[in-house]
Short mmCIF file of all heavy atoms in Angstrom, two decimals:
data_model
loop_
_atom_site.label_atom_id
_atom_site.label_comp_id
_atom_site.label_asym_id
_atom_site.label_seq_id
_atom_site.Cartn_x
_atom_site.Cartn_y
_atom_site.Cartn_z
N GLU A 57 4.08 62.85 -11.97
CA GLU A 57 2.67 63.10 -11.71
C GLU A 57 2.31 64.47 -12.30
O GLU A 57 3.01 65.44 -12.10
CB GLU A 57 2.38 63.14 -10.20
CG GLU A 57 2.50 61.82 -9.53
CD GLU A 57 2.21 61.92 -8.02
OE1 GLU A 57 2.27 63.07 -7.43
OE2 GLU A 57 1.94 60.87 -7.44
N VAL A 58 1.20 64.49 -13.05
CA VAL A 58 0.70 65.73 -13.62
C VAL A 58 -0.53 66.11 -12.82
O VAL A 58 -1.43 65.33 -12.68
CB VAL A 58 0.36 65.57 -15.12
CG1 VAL A 58 -0.21 66.88 -15.66
CG2 VAL A 58 1.54 65.09 -15.89
N VAL A 59 -0.51 67.35 -12.28
CA VAL A 59 -1.57 67.82 -11.44
C VAL A 59 -2.36 68.85 -12.21
O VAL A 59 -1.82 69.79 -12.74
CB VAL A 59 -1.02 68.43 -10.13
CG1 VAL A 59 -2.20 68.96 -9.26
CG2 VAL A 59 -0.21 67.41 -9.37
N PHE A 60 -3.67 68.63 -12.30
CA PHE A 60 -4.59 69.64 -12.93
C PHE A 60 -5.29 70.31 -11.74
O PHE A 60 -6.22 69.79 -11.17
CB PHE A 60 -5.59 68.92 -13.83
CG PHE A 60 -4.90 68.27 -15.02
CD1 PHE A 60 -4.54 66.92 -14.94
CD2 PHE A 60 -4.66 68.97 -16.16
CE1 PHE A 60 -3.89 66.35 -16.02
CE2 PHE A 60 -4.03 68.38 -17.22
CZ PHE A 60 -3.62 67.06 -17.14
N PRO A 61 -4.78 71.48 -11.37
CA PRO A 61 -5.23 72.11 -10.13
C PRO A 61 -6.48 73.00 -10.29
O PRO A 61 -6.79 73.47 -11.40
CB PRO A 61 -4.03 72.98 -9.74
CG PRO A 61 -3.43 73.39 -11.01
CD PRO A 61 -3.65 72.22 -11.96
N GLY A 62 -7.12 73.25 -9.16
CA GLY A 62 -8.22 74.22 -9.10
C GLY A 62 -9.30 74.06 -10.14
O GLY A 62 -9.78 72.97 -10.36
N ARG A 63 -9.62 75.16 -10.78
CA ARG A 63 -10.74 75.19 -11.75
C ARG A 63 -10.40 74.32 -12.96
O ARG A 63 -11.30 73.98 -13.76
CB ARG A 63 -11.05 76.60 -12.16
CG ARG A 63 -9.96 77.27 -12.95
CD ARG A 63 -10.20 78.74 -13.18
NE ARG A 63 -9.20 79.33 -14.00
CZ ARG A 63 -7.99 79.67 -13.57
NH1 ARG A 63 -7.66 79.45 -12.35
NH2 ARG A 63 -7.08 80.19 -14.39
N ARG A 64 -9.15 73.93 -13.15
CA ARG A 64 -8.77 73.14 -14.33
C ARG A 64 -9.23 71.67 -14.25
O ARG A 64 -9.20 70.95 -15.22
CB ARG A 64 -7.26 73.20 -14.51
CG ARG A 64 -6.82 74.56 -14.94
CD ARG A 64 -5.34 74.71 -14.92
NE ARG A 64 -4.91 76.04 -15.38
CZ ARG A 64 -4.82 77.10 -14.63
NH1 ARG A 64 -5.09 77.00 -13.34
NH2 ARG A 64 -4.40 78.23 -15.13
N THR A 65 -9.62 71.22 -13.06
CA THR A 65 -10.11 69.84 -12.92
C THR A 65 -11.36 69.61 -13.81
O THR A 65 -11.49 68.55 -14.36
CB THR A 65 -10.45 69.49 -11.46
OG1 THR A 65 -11.40 70.40 -10.95
CG2 THR A 65 -9.20 69.51 -10.60
N ILE A 66 -12.17 70.62 -13.94
CA ILE A 66 -13.36 70.52 -14.81
C ILE A 66 -12.96 70.44 -16.24
O ILE A 66 -13.48 69.66 -17.03
CB ILE A 66 -14.34 71.70 -14.56
CG1 ILE A 66 -14.88 71.64 -13.15
CG2 ILE A 66 -15.45 71.71 -15.58
CD1 ILE A 66 -15.59 72.86 -12.67
N GLN A 67 -11.95 71.28 -16.65
CA GLN A 67 -11.51 71.26 -18.02
C GLN A 67 -10.70 70.04 -18.37
O GLN A 67 -10.47 69.75 -19.54
CB GLN A 67 -10.62 72.53 -18.27
CG GLN A 67 -11.39 73.80 -18.11
CD GLN A 67 -10.48 75.02 -18.17
OE1 GLN A 67 -9.25 74.91 -18.20
NE2 GLN A 67 -11.06 76.23 -18.15
N ALA A 68 -10.23 69.26 -17.37
CA ALA A 68 -9.49 68.05 -17.58
C ALA A 68 -10.35 66.83 -17.78
O ALA A 68 -9.86 65.70 -18.01
CB ALA A 68 -8.52 67.80 -16.44
N LYS A 69 -11.69 66.95 -17.72
CA LYS A 69 -12.59 65.83 -17.89
C LYS A 69 -12.36 65.11 -19.21
O LYS A 69 -12.46 63.89 -19.29
CB LYS A 69 -14.01 66.28 -17.72
CG LYS A 69 -14.41 66.52 -16.29
CD LYS A 69 -15.86 66.84 -16.09
CE LYS A 69 -16.13 67.02 -14.62
NZ LYS A 69 -17.56 67.26 -14.37
N PRO A 70 -12.10 65.81 -20.34
CA PRO A 70 -11.82 65.08 -21.62
C PRO A 70 -10.61 64.14 -21.48
O PRO A 70 -10.57 63.07 -22.12
CB PRO A 70 -11.58 66.19 -22.64
CG PRO A 70 -12.30 67.35 -22.10
CD PRO A 70 -12.18 67.25 -20.60
N ILE A 71 -9.60 64.51 -20.74
CA ILE A 71 -8.42 63.66 -20.54
C ILE A 71 -8.83 62.40 -19.83
O ILE A 71 -8.48 61.30 -20.23
CB ILE A 71 -7.31 64.39 -19.74
CG1 ILE A 71 -6.69 65.45 -20.60
CG2 ILE A 71 -6.25 63.38 -19.26
CD1 ILE A 71 -5.63 66.28 -19.90
N VAL A 72 -9.60 62.53 -18.77
CA VAL A 72 -10.05 61.39 -17.97
C VAL A 72 -10.90 60.49 -18.88
O VAL A 72 -10.78 59.26 -18.88
CB VAL A 72 -10.84 61.81 -16.74
CG1 VAL A 72 -11.43 60.64 -16.02
CG2 VAL A 72 -9.94 62.60 -15.78
N ALA A 73 -11.80 61.06 -19.70
CA ALA A 73 -12.65 60.27 -20.57
C ALA A 73 -11.82 59.54 -21.61
O ALA A 73 -12.07 58.34 -21.90
CB ALA A 73 -13.67 61.18 -21.26
N LEU A 74 -10.82 60.21 -22.21
CA LEU A 74 -9.96 59.56 -23.19
C LEU A 74 -9.17 58.38 -22.56
O LEU A 74 -9.10 57.31 -23.14
CB LEU A 74 -8.98 60.56 -23.79
CG LEU A 74 -9.48 61.47 -24.83
CD1 LEU A 74 -8.48 62.58 -25.15
CD2 LEU A 74 -9.75 60.71 -26.15
N LEU A 75 -8.61 58.64 -21.40
CA LEU A 75 -7.82 57.59 -20.74
C LEU A 75 -8.72 56.40 -20.31
O LEU A 75 -8.30 55.25 -20.42
CB LEU A 75 -7.09 58.15 -19.52
CG LEU A 75 -5.99 59.19 -19.87
CD1 LEU A 75 -5.45 59.80 -18.59
CD2 LEU A 75 -4.87 58.57 -20.68
N GLN A 76 -9.90 56.73 -19.85
CA GLN A 76 -10.82 55.65 -19.42
C GLN A 76 -11.27 54.82 -20.65
O GLN A 76 -11.33 53.59 -20.58
CB GLN A 76 -12.06 56.24 -18.73
CG GLN A 76 -12.94 55.19 -18.04
CD GLN A 76 -12.17 54.36 -17.03
OE1 GLN A 76 -11.41 54.87 -16.26
NE2 GLN A 76 -12.39 53.07 -17.05
N ALA A 77 -11.51 55.48 -21.80
CA ALA A 77 -11.90 54.76 -23.01
C ALA A 77 -10.75 53.90 -23.49
O ALA A 77 -10.99 52.74 -23.92
CB ALA A 77 -12.30 55.75 -24.07
N LYS A 78 -9.55 54.38 -23.40
CA LYS A 78 -8.38 53.61 -23.81
C LYS A 78 -8.21 52.38 -22.89
O LYS A 78 -7.94 51.29 -23.37
CB LYS A 78 -7.11 54.52 -23.71
CG LYS A 78 -5.90 53.93 -24.40
CD LYS A 78 -4.86 55.04 -24.48
CE LYS A 78 -3.72 54.66 -25.35
NZ LYS A 78 -3.91 54.79 -26.77
N LEU A 79 -8.40 52.54 -21.59
CA LEU A 79 -8.33 51.42 -20.66
C LEU A 79 -9.43 50.41 -20.90
O LEU A 79 -9.16 49.16 -20.92
CB LEU A 79 -8.38 51.93 -19.22
CG LEU A 79 -8.30 50.89 -18.11
CD1 LEU A 79 -6.97 50.13 -18.18
CD2 LEU A 79 -8.46 51.59 -16.77
N THR A 80 -10.65 50.86 -21.12
CA THR A 80 -11.76 49.95 -21.37
C THR A 80 -11.52 49.14 -22.62
O THR A 80 -11.74 47.94 -22.66
CB THR A 80 -13.07 50.77 -21.51
OG1 THR A 80 -13.28 51.48 -20.28
CG2 THR A 80 -14.27 49.85 -21.76
N HIS A 81 -11.07 49.80 -23.67
CA HIS A 81 -10.77 49.08 -24.95
C HIS A 81 -9.67 48.04 -24.74
O HIS A 81 -9.80 46.91 -25.19
CB HIS A 81 -10.38 50.07 -26.04
CG HIS A 81 -9.95 49.43 -27.30
ND1 HIS A 81 -10.84 48.77 -28.12
CD2 HIS A 81 -8.74 49.27 -27.88
CE1 HIS A 81 -10.21 48.29 -29.14
NE2 HIS A 81 -8.91 48.56 -29.03
N ALA A 82 -8.61 48.44 -24.02
CA ALA A 82 -7.48 47.52 -23.79
C ALA A 82 -7.94 46.32 -22.95
O ALA A 82 -7.49 45.20 -23.19
CB ALA A 82 -6.35 48.23 -23.11
N ARG A 83 -8.81 46.54 -21.97
CA ARG A 83 -9.27 45.42 -21.15
C ARG A 83 -10.07 44.46 -21.97
O ARG A 83 -10.03 43.24 -21.79
CB ARG A 83 -10.11 45.94 -19.99
CG ARG A 83 -9.25 46.53 -18.88
CD ARG A 83 -10.09 46.95 -17.69
NE ARG A 83 -9.20 47.38 -16.60
CZ ARG A 83 -9.57 48.19 -15.66
NH1 ARG A 83 -10.79 48.67 -15.63
NH2 ARG A 83 -8.75 48.55 -14.71
N LYS A 84 -10.94 44.96 -22.91
CA LYS A 84 -11.73 44.08 -23.75
C LYS A 84 -10.84 43.24 -24.66
O LYS A 84 -11.03 42.04 -24.83
CB LYS A 84 -12.70 44.91 -24.63
CG LYS A 84 -13.85 45.45 -23.85
CD LYS A 84 -14.80 46.26 -24.75
CE LYS A 84 -15.92 46.88 -23.93
NZ LYS A 84 -16.77 47.75 -24.75
N VAL A 85 -9.83 43.87 -25.25
CA VAL A 85 -8.88 43.14 -26.09
C VAL A 85 -8.10 42.12 -25.29
O VAL A 85 -7.96 40.95 -25.73
CB VAL A 85 -7.91 44.14 -26.80
CG1 VAL A 85 -6.78 43.42 -27.48
CG2 VAL A 85 -8.66 45.04 -27.76
N ALA A 86 -7.65 42.49 -24.09
CA ALA A 86 -6.91 41.54 -23.24
C ALA A 86 -7.81 40.39 -22.79
O ALA A 86 -7.33 39.25 -22.70
CB ALA A 86 -6.36 42.28 -22.04
N GLU A 87 -9.06 40.67 -22.50
CA GLU A 87 -9.98 39.62 -22.09
C GLU A 87 -10.14 38.57 -23.19
O GLU A 87 -10.15 37.38 -22.94
CB GLU A 87 -11.33 40.23 -21.70
CG GLU A 87 -12.27 39.24 -21.11
CD GLU A 87 -13.57 39.91 -20.68
OE1 GLU A 87 -13.55 40.98 -20.08
OE2 GLU A 87 -14.66 39.34 -21.03
N LYS A 88 -10.30 39.05 -24.42
CA LYS A 88 -10.44 38.12 -25.53
C LYS A 88 -9.19 37.28 -25.72
O LYS A 88 -9.27 36.12 -26.12
CB LYS A 88 -10.76 38.92 -26.81
CG LYS A 88 -12.18 39.47 -26.85
CD LYS A 88 -12.43 40.21 -28.16
CE LYS A 88 -13.83 40.82 -28.12
NZ LYS A 88 -14.09 41.61 -29.34
N ALA A 89 -8.03 37.89 -25.48
CA ALA A 89 -6.75 37.21 -25.64
C ALA A 89 -6.36 36.39 -24.41
O ALA A 89 -5.39 35.64 -24.44
CB ALA A 89 -5.66 38.18 -25.98
N GLY A 90 -7.12 36.53 -23.33
CA GLY A 90 -6.85 35.80 -22.11
C GLY A 90 -5.60 36.32 -21.36
O GLY A 90 -4.95 35.58 -20.65
N THR A 91 -5.33 37.60 -21.51
CA THR A 91 -4.17 38.25 -20.82
C THR A 91 -4.68 39.36 -19.90
O THR A 91 -5.88 39.58 -19.78
CB THR A 91 -3.16 38.79 -21.82
OG1 THR A 91 -3.83 39.82 -22.62
CG2 THR A 91 -2.64 37.71 -22.76
N THR A 92 -3.72 40.05 -19.30
CA THR A 92 -4.07 41.19 -18.44
C THR A 92 -3.48 42.45 -19.07
O THR A 92 -2.65 42.37 -19.98
CB THR A 92 -3.52 41.03 -17.05
OG1 THR A 92 -2.11 40.89 -17.11
CG2 THR A 92 -4.15 39.85 -16.34
N VAL A 93 -3.91 43.59 -18.57
CA VAL A 93 -3.51 44.88 -19.15
C VAL A 93 -2.48 45.54 -18.18
O VAL A 93 -2.70 45.61 -16.98
CB VAL A 93 -4.71 45.85 -19.28
CG1 VAL A 93 -4.25 47.17 -19.75
CG2 VAL A 93 -5.73 45.24 -20.23
N ASP A 94 -1.36 45.99 -18.75
CA ASP A 94 -0.39 46.77 -17.98
C ASP A 94 -0.73 48.24 -18.31
O ASP A 94 -0.44 48.69 -19.42
CB ASP A 94 1.04 46.42 -18.43
CG ASP A 94 2.07 47.28 -17.72
OD1 ASP A 94 1.72 48.04 -16.77
OD2 ASP A 94 3.27 47.22 -18.12
N VAL A 95 -1.30 48.95 -17.36
CA VAL A 95 -1.77 50.31 -17.63
C VAL A 95 -0.64 51.25 -17.98
O VAL A 95 -0.82 52.25 -18.66
CB VAL A 95 -2.60 50.88 -16.45
CG1 VAL A 95 -3.88 50.15 -16.27
CG2 VAL A 95 -1.77 50.92 -15.19
N ASN A 96 0.59 50.94 -17.58
CA ASN A 96 1.72 51.79 -17.89
C ASN A 96 2.08 51.79 -19.40
O ASN A 96 2.80 52.65 -19.87
CB ASN A 96 2.94 51.41 -17.07
CG ASN A 96 2.81 51.82 -15.62
OD1 ASN A 96 2.28 52.87 -15.35
ND2 ASN A 96 3.24 50.96 -14.73
N THR A 97 1.54 50.83 -20.12
CA THR A 97 1.77 50.77 -21.58
C THR A 97 0.70 51.51 -22.33
O THR A 97 0.83 51.73 -23.54
CB THR A 97 1.83 49.33 -22.05
OG1 THR A 97 0.59 48.69 -21.82
CG2 THR A 97 2.96 48.55 -21.36
N LEU A 98 -0.39 51.88 -21.66
CA LEU A 98 -1.51 52.61 -22.33
C LEU A 98 -1.22 54.11 -22.23
O LEU A 98 -1.67 54.77 -21.33
CB LEU A 98 -2.82 52.25 -21.67
CG LEU A 98 -3.21 50.78 -21.63
CD1 LEU A 98 -4.48 50.60 -20.87
CD2 LEU A 98 -3.31 50.23 -23.05
N ARG A 99 -0.50 54.62 -23.18
CA ARG A 99 -0.07 56.02 -23.11
C ARG A 99 -0.78 56.87 -24.17
O ARG A 99 -0.98 56.49 -25.28
CB ARG A 99 1.43 56.08 -23.32
CG ARG A 99 2.16 55.29 -22.25
CD ARG A 99 3.65 55.38 -22.38
NE ARG A 99 4.27 54.57 -21.32
CZ ARG A 99 5.52 54.63 -21.03
NH1 ARG A 99 6.36 55.41 -21.68
NH2 ARG A 99 6.01 53.85 -20.07
N TYR A 100 -1.14 58.10 -23.69
CA TYR A 100 -1.80 59.05 -24.56
C TYR A 100 -1.02 60.34 -24.50
O TYR A 100 -0.90 60.98 -23.46
CB TYR A 100 -3.24 59.30 -24.08
CG TYR A 100 -4.07 60.04 -25.08
CD1 TYR A 100 -4.73 59.36 -26.09
CD2 TYR A 100 -4.16 61.45 -25.09
CE1 TYR A 100 -5.44 60.04 -27.07
CE2 TYR A 100 -4.84 62.13 -26.01
CZ TYR A 100 -5.51 61.38 -27.02
OH TYR A 100 -6.23 62.09 -27.96
N PRO A 101 -0.42 60.74 -25.65
CA PRO A 101 0.45 61.93 -25.61
C PRO A 101 -0.34 63.24 -25.46
O PRO A 101 -1.40 63.41 -26.09
CB PRO A 101 1.19 61.88 -26.95
CG PRO A 101 0.29 61.07 -27.84
CD PRO A 101 -0.48 60.14 -26.96
N ALA A 102 0.22 64.16 -24.72
CA ALA A 102 -0.36 65.49 -24.56
C ALA A 102 0.79 66.48 -24.40
O ALA A 102 1.79 66.18 -23.78
CB ALA A 102 -1.25 65.56 -23.29
N ARG A 103 0.63 67.66 -24.98
CA ARG A 103 1.60 68.71 -24.77
C ARG A 103 1.06 69.53 -23.60
O ARG A 103 0.00 70.10 -23.65
CB ARG A 103 1.76 69.57 -26.04
CG ARG A 103 2.87 70.57 -25.90
CD ARG A 103 3.12 71.37 -27.14
NE ARG A 103 2.04 72.35 -27.29
CZ ARG A 103 1.46 72.69 -28.39
NH1 ARG A 103 1.80 72.15 -29.53
NH2 ARG A 103 0.51 73.59 -28.40
N ILE A 104 1.87 69.60 -22.55
CA ILE A 104 1.42 70.26 -21.32
C ILE A 104 2.33 71.42 -21.00
O ILE A 104 3.55 71.32 -21.05
CB ILE A 104 1.40 69.26 -20.13
CG1 ILE A 104 0.41 68.16 -20.48
CG2 ILE A 104 1.06 69.97 -18.83
CD1 ILE A 104 0.26 67.13 -19.42
N GLU A 105 1.74 72.56 -20.69
CA GLU A 105 2.43 73.76 -20.26
C GLU A 105 2.11 73.99 -18.79
O GLU A 105 0.95 74.05 -18.43
CB GLU A 105 1.94 74.92 -21.16
CG GLU A 105 2.68 76.20 -20.92
CD GLU A 105 2.16 77.28 -21.87
OE1 GLU A 105 1.36 77.01 -22.77
OE2 GLU A 105 2.59 78.41 -21.68
N GLY A 106 3.13 74.06 -18.01
CA GLY A 106 2.92 74.26 -16.55
C GLY A 106 4.18 74.50 -15.81
O GLY A 106 5.23 74.88 -16.38
N SER A 107 4.16 74.25 -14.51
CA SER A 107 5.26 74.59 -13.63
C SER A 107 5.58 73.40 -12.73
O SER A 107 4.65 72.71 -12.27
CB SER A 107 4.84 75.77 -12.80
OG SER A 107 5.81 76.13 -11.88
N TRP A 108 6.85 73.13 -12.51
CA TRP A 108 7.27 72.06 -11.61
C TRP A 108 7.14 72.55 -10.15
O TRP A 108 7.49 73.67 -9.82
CB TRP A 108 8.74 71.69 -11.87
CG TRP A 108 8.95 70.98 -13.14
CD1 TRP A 108 9.52 71.50 -14.26
CD2 TRP A 108 8.62 69.63 -13.45
NE1 TRP A 108 9.54 70.55 -15.26
CE2 TRP A 108 8.99 69.39 -14.76
CE3 TRP A 108 8.01 68.60 -12.73
CZ2 TRP A 108 8.81 68.16 -15.41
CZ3 TRP A 108 7.82 67.38 -13.37
CH2 TRP A 108 8.21 67.17 -14.68
N ARG A 109 6.62 71.67 -9.31
CA ARG A 109 6.50 71.95 -7.89
C ARG A 109 7.03 70.75 -7.08
O ARG A 109 6.80 69.62 -7.49
CB ARG A 109 5.04 72.17 -7.46
CG ARG A 109 4.35 73.35 -8.12
CD ARG A 109 4.50 74.63 -7.36
NE ARG A 109 3.97 74.62 -6.03
CZ ARG A 109 2.73 74.95 -5.68
NH1 ARG A 109 1.88 75.38 -6.58
NH2 ARG A 109 2.39 74.93 -4.43
N PRO A 110 7.73 70.97 -5.98
CA PRO A 110 8.26 69.84 -5.22
C PRO A 110 7.12 69.21 -4.38
O PRO A 110 6.17 69.84 -3.97
CB PRO A 110 9.31 70.46 -4.30
CG PRO A 110 8.86 71.89 -4.17
CD PRO A 110 8.16 72.26 -5.46
N LYS A 111 7.32 67.90 -4.16
CA LYS A 111 6.41 67.17 -3.30
C LYS A 111 7.31 66.31 -2.40
O LYS A 111 8.20 65.60 -2.84
CB LYS A 111 5.50 66.24 -4.12
CG LYS A 111 4.61 65.33 -3.29
CD LYS A 111 3.87 64.37 -4.20
CE LYS A 111 3.09 63.36 -3.35
NZ LYS A 111 2.45 62.33 -4.17
N PHE A 112 7.04 66.37 -1.11
CA PHE A 112 7.84 65.63 -0.15
C PHE A 112 7.03 64.50 0.42
O PHE A 112 5.88 64.70 0.83
CB PHE A 112 8.33 66.51 1.00
CG PHE A 112 9.26 67.62 0.52
CD1 PHE A 112 8.81 68.87 0.14
CD2 PHE A 112 10.61 67.35 0.44
CE1 PHE A 112 9.67 69.83 -0.28
CE2 PHE A 112 11.49 68.33 0.00
CZ PHE A 112 11.02 69.55 -0.37
N THR A 113 7.61 63.29 0.42
CA THR A 113 6.92 62.14 1.03
C THR A 113 7.84 61.56 2.09
O THR A 113 9.04 61.54 1.93
CB THR A 113 6.58 61.06 -0.04
OG1 THR A 113 7.76 60.72 -0.73
CG2 THR A 113 5.54 61.55 -1.00
#
Side-chain angles (χ1 to χ4, degrees):
E57 290 180 342
V58 180
V59 179
F60 297 91
R63 67 188 183 283
R64 290 171 179 87
T65 57
I66 295 167
Q67 297 172 353
K69 285 185 179 182
I71 289 176
V72 175
L74 281 168
L75 293 173
Q76 189 60 42
K78 194 169 190 79
L79 180 61
T80 301
H81 175 71
R83 282 184 175 156
K84 286 180 184 176
V85 170
E87 186 178 314
K88 287 180 183 176
T91 61
T92 59
V93 176
D94 178 9
V95 294
N96 288 320
T97 62
L98 303 176
R99 300 182 181 192
Y100 193 87
R103 188 176 74 219
I104 299 179
E105 186 176 353
S107 180
W108 290 107
R109 298 271 300 267
K111 175 186 174 185
F112 295 93
T113 55

